[in-house]
Amino acid sequence: MKIRPAWSAFAALLSLVALMTTCSARAADPVTPDAAKIVAEREARIGWFREAKYGLFIHWGLYAIPAGEWKGQPVPGIGEWIMNRAKIPVPEYAALAKQFNPVKFDAEAWVQLAVDAGMKYIVITSKHHDGFAMYRSKVSPFNIVDATPFARDPIAELAAACAKHGIRFGFYYSQSQDWHEPGGAGNNWDFPANGEKDKSGAYDKYLREKAEPQLRELLTNYGPTCLIWFDTPQMMSAGRSQRFTELVRSLQPACLIDGRLGASGDYESTGDNAIPPANKVGDWETPATINHTWGFKKDDHDWKSPGEILFKLVDIASKGGNYLLNVGPTAEGVIPQPSQDNLRAVGAWLKVHGEAIHGAGRSPFGPEFGEFSATQKDRAGRPLFLKRDDWRCTTKPGKLYFTVFGEALPRDGFALPAFKNAIKKAYLLGDPSRTVLTTNLGADGVRVVPVPRPAPVAIANVICVEIEGDAVQL
Ligand code: FHN
């Protein structure tokens, strides 16, 4: 029998409490069968997401052709925003489709990268703000099959490869911004401004005639969809969001909805590259770039190193979240080699230490994240958070995983934070023989795990501490 993780029961309870709080009209009988059913359904949907912890985001579209440069001039900002930043008229931008022929695209190779990287799900841009569908769409001819010489459906090829390799597959879909359509939000250089579109009914016409039918296509034609990643919900009122929610639920009840639809989804999406400073309750995900752009830019070579990626992954997992890390393939269909190398380096680490991440729960401690400065202020005048990055802790029933960053483990051993449980044994996950490290009692009653030097693994080592009882007693 599978043991139900304690934190998942806790999250269920939190959801129930949240629901009870919002259902004020039912205060006399807050846990109605309906409310309990809603919570139970969400719990069933979100289980895989809590286990996964690490996913691959892919931003791929026509913007990979100009790759940050328009008419010989570099365009500042993120690559996939080039149409907006350079105010490119619709017909000129749409003409890029005739050049789009990514003959090096290989769905197997992309999915294999996610597997090698230790990632458990892939989310790809099926339509970004430029309005171009990266799949065969009957709703609009502005799609990769009908408008390009490539004439293949990469989403179908990726769906098949994901199914083969056991990777969950989801779609980014820009529901509100669509710079190709007169009624879509965002393109105020070719078309009237957003407010007028809303008033005139053009925006609703776009939603009903393009966004909703395309969403229906995506959820009908590509097998099980693990999540829909909506984004930038300009003008997405409660009613419009509700229509989208109902569409997703009716077509694929197991499909998650991210936190940027307009209404609250199944989990919270933080800001781009935003990692909360401390433990954060609920289910959440940080979408993040591996350099400084989402869509490919030929001049951006500032790749995050394996050490930086790994720190962020463990940091996020120890605060209860997921890390959705992006790559931006080229117009030829190639994922830039430095992204691949750095993801694979972290994947090699996860092969040995993955049990400290996948399915692991948040830290029961907290001081390891850092503290607010008593004197220094941030730009907004609030106390500055001084981050600590020596170690992080993740948990499973009866186990604590202390990931200690850097090649050198502390010379005097690793001083454990205070907890009451007796220790059964401690060992390094990176030690193939799992030699037991006998804990000493140091000064002030602090328990210290002696650690071998040099440490067996570069980048970061994980000390697994097995304790009496499932949950940590502080
Ligand atoms: O505008 C988009 C951006 O292009 C990118 O897709 C990111 C990914 O989180 N989301 C929006 C900005 O937050």
Side-chain angles (χ1 to χ4, degrees):
M1 198 182 82
K2 217 173 161 196
I3 299 171
R4 180 181 168 79
W7 56 91
S8 127
F10 180 64
L13 190 69
L14 278 182
S15 308
L16 192 59
V17 169
L19 206 67
M20 286 162 62
T21 318
T22 45
C23 292
S24 50
R26 296 172 172 178
D29 177 23
V31 190
T32 63
D34 273 3
K37 187 167 167 264
I38 290 169
V39 172
E41 284 171 356
R42 181 179 164 279
E43 282 302 295
R45 274 197 298 277
I46 198 106
W48 72 266
F49 181 85
R50 287 188 189 137
E51 294 277 312
K53 293 285 155 204
Y54 192 26
L56 182 66
F57 212 178
I58 305 177
H59 275 66
W60 196 38
L62 296 180
Y63 39 79
I65 301 172
E69 192 180 295
W70 194 249
K71 298 190 173 160
Q73 296 300 315
V75 179
I78 42 185
E80 71 284 3
W81 270 71
I82 193 164
M83 181 178 176
N84 182 301
R85 294 270 189 266
K87 303 290 172 245
I88 303 172
V90 165
E92 262 186 66
Y93 186 85
L96 287 171
K98 294 195 196 77
Q99 295 173 47
F100 197 61
N101 196 12
V103 287
K104 294 190 180 158
F105 168 70
D106 178 350
E108 276 282 326
W110 287 18
V111 174
Q112 189 60 52
L113 171 64
V115 171
D116 294 347
M119 292 161 150
K120 303 294 181 192
Y121 60 113
I122 292 179
V123 180
I124 189 168
T125 47
S126 60
K127 186 201 80 167
H128 202 265
H129 309 330
D130 63 0
F132 186 69
M134 290 294 286
Y135 70 97
R136 182 192 300 275
S137 174
K138 292 203 174 95
V139 174
S140 160
F142 193 45
N143 74 74
I144 191 165
V145 177
D146 295 318
T148 76
F150 187 54
R152 274 163 54 192
D153 183 342
I155 300 288
E157 294 177 32
L158 282 165
C162 281
K164 180 171 153 195
H165 291 278
I167 294 283
R168 289 177 194 263
F169 192 42
F171 305 121
Y172 173 107
Y173 188 85
S174 176
Q175 78 281 23
S176 182
Q177 294 204 65
D178 189 317
W179 304 330
H180 188 73
E181 306 297 337
N187 182 343
N188 299 339
W189 60 97
D190 287 313
F191 307 120
N194 284 350
E196 292 166 53
K197 293 171 199 182
D198 199 1
K199 255 195 280 156
S200 69
Y203 180 65
D204 271 313
K205 182 170 155 60
Y206 150 74
L207 291 181
R208 292 200 186 272
E209 293 181 5
K210 183 169 181 185
E212 292 173 48
Q214 285 201 329
L215 189 56
R216 182 176 287 280
E217 288 181 325
L218 287 165
L219 289 165
T220 308
N221 298 339
Y222 299 100
T225 303
C226 69
L227 61 84
I228 299 283
W229 218 95
F230 295 109
D231 203 2
T232 62
Q234 299 175 12
M235 298 191 282
M236 287 297 289
S237 59
R240 289 166 180 152
S241 306
Q242 184 59 26
R243 287 209 312 264
F244 278 70
T245 303
E246 280 166 15
L247 188 60
V248 177
R249 299 282 181 252
S250 66
L251 293 169
Q252 294 214 27
C255 177
L256 295 178
I257 296 175
D258 76 330
R260 296 189 186 182
L261 169 61
S264 58
D266 288 303
Y267 65 86
E268 187 182 336
S269 308
T270 69
D272 296 347
N273 289 305
I275 300 176
N279 227 319
K280 183 172 165 59
V281 291
D283 298 298
W284 57 273
E285 176 185 63
T286 293
T289 52
I290 197 166
N291 45 358
H292 299 283
T293 179
W294 305 88
F296 178 69
K297 268 190 101 169
K298 57 186 154 208
D299 290 339
D300 187 342
H301 307 291
D302 191 18
W303 310 105
K304 289 183 182 73
S305 68
E308 288 171 298
I309 295 169
L310 181 61
F311 178 79
K312 287 177 195 298
L313 172 62
V314 183
D315 187 33
I316 288 169
S318 76
K319 293 167 180 169
N322 281 22
Y323 189 26
L324 183 64
L325 183 56
N326 183 74
V327 294
T330 67
E332 285 191 305
V334 175
I335 296 175
Q337 196 58 45
S339 312
Q340 294 198 37
D341 294 345
N342 296 357
L343 291 181
R344 285 204 167 88
V346 175
W349 186 91
L350 282 169
K351 271 213 171 76
V352 178
H353 303 92
E355 71 164 275
I357 302 294
H358 302 300
R362 49 171 60 80
S363 170
F365 307 109
E368 73 270 26
F369 299 130
E371 63 204 357
F372 287 99
S373 166
T375 51
Q376 293 168 271
K377 307 270 184 230
D378 66 15
R379 280 196 203 137
R382 292 175 301 230
L384 184 70
F385 190 75
L386 304 172
K387 191 176 93 174
R388 302 184 65 135
D389 53 12
D390 312 329
W391 60 270
R392 290 291 182 265
C393 179
T394 50
T395 50
K396 279 187 180 165
K399 286 183 180 181
L400 296 172
Y401 302 97
F402 294 94
T403 301
V404 187
F405 299 99
E407 283 179 44
L409 286 164
R411 184 171 293 279
D412 302 327
F414 181 75
L416 293 168
F419 57 89
K420 293 189 183 129
N421 312 57
I423 292 173
K424 290 208 243 170
K425 61 176 173 175
Y427 48 88
L428 288 171
L429 288 188
D431 172 9
S433 56
R434 300 268 161 112
T435 307
V436 171
L437 307 167
T438 309
T439 310
N440 309 313
L441 209 53
D444 306 332
V446 170
R447 291 182 286 191
V448 177
V449 182
V451 282
R453 292 174 66 87
V457 185
I459 310 185
N461 286 275
V462 179
I463 302 165
C464 176
V465 178
E466 295 191 8
I467 56 173
E468 294 286 353
D470 275 359
V472 181
Q473 306 296 323
L474 295 179

